[in-house]
Amino acid sequence: MRQTLIALSVAAALAAAAGCSKEAGQSQAAQDNLQAQQVAVAEAGSATAASNILLAEWTGPYGGVPAFDKMRVEDLKPALETAMSKNLAEIDTIASNPAAPTFANTIEELERSGGDLNRVFAYYGIWSANMSSPEFRAIQQEMAPKLADFQSKIVQNDKLFQRVKAVYDQRDSSDLNAEQKRLVELTYDQFAINGATLKGEGKQRYAEINQRLAELYTKFANNILADEEGYDIFLRSDQLSGLPESFVAAAAALAEEKGQKGNYAIANTRSSMDPFLTYSDNRKLREQVWKNYYSRGDNGDEHDNNAIIAEILKLRDERVGLLGFDNYAEWRLQDRMAKTPENATDLMEAVWPAAVARVKEEVADMQAVADAEKAGITIEPWDYRYYAEKVRKAKYDLDSDEVKQYLQLDKLREAMFFVAGELFNFTFSPVKAGSVPVFHEDVKVWEVKDKTSGEHIGLWYLDPFARAGKRSGAWATMYRDHTTFDGKKTVLASNNSNFIKGAPGEPVLVSWDDARTFFHEFGHALHFLASNVSYPTLNGGVRDYTEFQSQLLERWLSTDEVIDNYLVHYKTGEPIPAELVAKIKKAATFNQGFATTEYLASALIDMKLHTTDPEGIDPDKFERETLTKLGMPKELVMRHRTPHFGHVFSGEGYATGYYGYLWADVLTSDAAEAFAESEGGFYDKEVAGKLVKHLFAPRNAVDPAEAYRAFRGRDAKIEALMRDRGFPVPGEKSTTVAVKD
C-alpha cells in the first residue's frame, strides 16, 4: 500500500516542482510585478537552502536524487518552516495575480508551487516511517499543528479559491484537453471538500479542528510505535520448540542486535508475531505474544489510544457537520469509487456471511485436530494459526515451512523484475555502489529503463528489513512523481518491508503470504513507474481503487513462469517440486474464512465508527458490542483492532476507506479472469497492453470506473471474487460493483 507522509491532502496535492513561466496575455506591468515577487521569494530562501540540505535542489545522476546520506534531524524543523513560508508566498502570488484567472496562471502555477516543501517531505517520510527516533518524534509532535495550520491557510485563501472556481466554472467552454479538465475538477473538489466554501466562524473552527487532529494523529502513531518497541520477548533455547530453523536464526540475530546475545528475540510486530503463532508449540508463549501484539495502544497506560480515538471521532464529525454532511463517512466517500457508505457496506455485508460460515468450518477442523492430539483445549485466537497449520498439513499435506525453503527474498525480487519486464517492458539494473545516496546500509537501488528503447524511467529503492524506529508492515512510496508539463521528471519509487534479517551470509526465507505482500507492494511501485500523466496532482489516487493494481500483481507469484524459474531451494538450488506446487494451488482457498473475516471485521468497524454519533463513545465498548452484533467468531480478532488501527487513526488516508481493499479485490478477481481467459494467459501481450494503457499509466487522469470499463468492457462482477475465495457464488443474477448514485 502508498504511504501518505503526513495529513496534508490539499497541500500535498497542490505541491509540485518549483518554477515560473511567463503568462501570455498579461499586461507587462502585471508580469513584471509577478516576476519581482517570485524573485524576492527565491532570494529570501536561498541563504537557508544553501545551508540546509533538506531544502536543497536534488543533484547528481538520474535527474537528481535526495541526499539521504546527509540528512540531519536537527535540520528538519527549520526546513519545514522555511519551505512552508516560501510556499505560502507562492500561493499569495498566484492568488493576487491581477490578470483574469486561467488554467495557465492559476492551476498550472499551483502545480508548480511547493517544490521546496516536496523535497522536505521526502526526508520527513523517511524519519516518520523508516528511521524514527525520539528526536524526530518531538519535532513531529511540535510541527503537526503548524503543518495543519499551513494547509488551512491554503484551503481557506478565498482569493485563491475564487480563482480556482472561476477556472472550474469555465472548464467546459475553455480549450482544455481531457487531462487538464480532470486536473481542474480534482483541484476544485479538493478545495471544496476541505472547507474552502465556509465563511466566518465556520472557517475558523474548521482550521482549529484540523490543527488538533494533526496533533492527535501524530500521538496515535507514536503510541503504537512505542508499544511495538516496548514489548519485545526474549526466549531461552528451551522455549523454541516447533519454530523453524530460519526463524530461530533470525530471532537470535535480533536478540544480539538488542544486546541479549545467546537469547532469541520476538519483536512485537506482525513479521515476528505471525510466524511465532503459526509454529510455536508453547501455548502460554503463544498467548503472551498474541496479547502483546493485539493490545498495542490498549494497555491503560501513557500510550493508550482509546481517549485519542474518541476525540478524533468527535472532531471529524463536527468538522464534516460544518460542511453539511450527516457523518464523516458520507463526506469521505463522495470522491471514491463507492460514492456512499451504503454502497461500501452493501459489498462488505454481501461477503461477510460466507466468510463467517467458513470460519466455523475451519474452527471445527482445528478443534478435531486438537482433540485427536488430546490437547484438552478449546481453540482460542492464539491457537488459530498454529492449528490451521496442522490442518493444512493434514488436508493438503502442505507444510508452510517446507514451502519457505523455496521462497528466497532475493529470488523473489528477481521474479518481480521478470514480471515487470514481461508486462511493462521494464528492466531493472543495480546502480553503481555509492552513486545514489541511501539512508541506511540495507537500502539498495536499481535503475529502471524501457527494455526496447533504453529510455530511463526512474529509480527503485528497496528497504527490506525490520529495524528499531521503523514502523511495522510493508508499504510503497514515491520521492518524485512522473510529470511532463514543465519538462520530464522521472520517478523515484520505494518499497519498504519488515523482513527479519537472517544470519550473515544466509538467504532470507519468507512465507507464501509474505511473498504475496512483496509482490503487492511492488505493484504499487509499478503503478508509480508506469505513470504517463503531465501534472503532479494526477499522480494521486482514489483510495478504493489504488489497491487494485497492487492486489492484481500478487497473481503473478503463482504463475508457472515464476514458479518454474525463481522458486528454488535455498540450499540445493533445485526447483520447487511439481507435487509441492500442486499442493500450494490446491490449498489456494485454504483459511480464507480467517483471512476474509479478520479483514472485514476491521473494515466494518471502521465504517460503523464513522456513521455513528460519536458523542460519549467508548471505543473499546463499541468494538466489542459491534462485533457481537455482527456475529464475529470468538476464535479470531480484527486484523487491526481499533486502538492500533493506524490506517484509520494516524491520518485520514484510509479512514472509512479500509473497505477499499475488498472493493479493489473485486476488480482484481475480475481482471485476473480477463488474463486467465486470454490466449496467452497471464502473459498475454494484448491484455497486458490494455492493462498498462488503461489501468496503470493514467493514474488519476481518468475516472477509475471509466478506466476499468475501458479495460474490461464492463463493470467488475463480485462472482469472480467469491470464486477466488472458494465461497458460494451468489444466484444467477450478476452482482456488480457499479456505482449506485
Side-chain angles (χ1 to χ4, degrees), residues 413-450:
R413 189 196 67 239
E414 291 175 15
M416 297 191 312
F417 291 170
F418 165 75
V419 171
E422 293 298 302
L423 300 184
F424 295 84
N425 207 41
F426 290 163
T427 62
F428 287 72
S429 305
V431 303
K432 183 180 177 182
S435 63
V436 173
V438 294
F439 52 84
H440 190 277
E441 62 182 5
D442 288 341
V443 180
K444 307 302 179 188
V445 188
W446 285 259
E447 181 183 10
V448 187
K449 292 183 178 180
D450 182 90

Side-chain angles (χ1 to χ4, degrees), residues 57-243:
E57 293 276 358
W58 294 347
T59 59
Y62 310 111
V65 292
F68 287 134
D69 57 335
K70 297 178 180 177
M71 56 189 255
R72 302 185 309 164
V73 73
E74 55 264 36
D75 290 333
L76 180 58
K77 179 181 174 182
L80 284 170
E81 290 174 335
T82 298
M84 285 190 291
S85 178
K86 182 175 179 179
N87 197 182
L88 289 175
E90 293 168 336
I91 292 298
D92 188 59
T93 297
I94 298 167
S96 302
N97 190 337
T102 65
F103 178 84
N105 71 20
T106 301
I107 305 301
E108 283 196 333
E109 288 300 321
L110 282 172
E111 293 292 287
R112 289 189 180 95
S113 68
D116 286 41
L117 195 56
N118 263 5
R119 291 192 293 276
V120 177
F121 283 165
Y123 299 105
Y124 185 106
I126 296 300
W127 277 307
S128 177
N130 303 65
M131 300 282 289
S132 186
S133 66
E135 294 79 13
F136 166 74
R137 290 173 213 172
I139 296 170
Q140 184 184 37
Q141 193 73 45
E142 178 186 357
M143 294 304 295
K146 295 181 180 180
L147 287 162
D149 181 57
F150 160 78
Q151 177 187 2
S152 294
K153 286 177 179 176
I154 296 176
V155 178
Q156 297 188 358
N157 186 319
D158 193 58
K159 288 197 299 183
L160 177 64
F161 177 59
Q162 293 307 318
R163 292 185 69 85
V164 170
K165 184 177 184 301
V167 179
Y168 174 80
D169 290 341
Q170 299 164 9
R171 67 194 185 283
D172 291 326
S173 58
S174 301
D175 186 22
L176 300 178
N177 62 35
E179 190 179 39
Q180 291 170 332
K181 185 177 175 182
R182 173 80 170 167
L183 174 60
V184 170
E185 291 170 347
L186 290 174
T187 303
Y188 174 83
D189 287 347
Q190 281 300 303
F191 275 90
I193 286 172
N194 286 281
T197 58
L198 293 173
K199 305 292 182 184
E201 291 182 3
K203 178 176 285 193
Q204 180 180 346
R205 179 56 184 156
Y206 196 97
E208 291 171 353
I209 291 173
N210 277 348
Q211 283 186 270
R212 179 56 180 161
L213 283 172
E215 295 174 350
L216 294 171
Y217 296 154
T218 301
K219 190 172 182 181
F220 183 96
N222 285 339
N223 282 346
I224 298 173
L225 191 56
D227 275 358
E228 288 175 350
E229 293 177 345
Y231 284 84
D232 291 330
I233 295 175
F234 294 94
L235 306 182
R236 304 181 307 272
S237 59
D238 62 350
Q239 296 176 303
L240 305 175
S241 176
L243 296 174

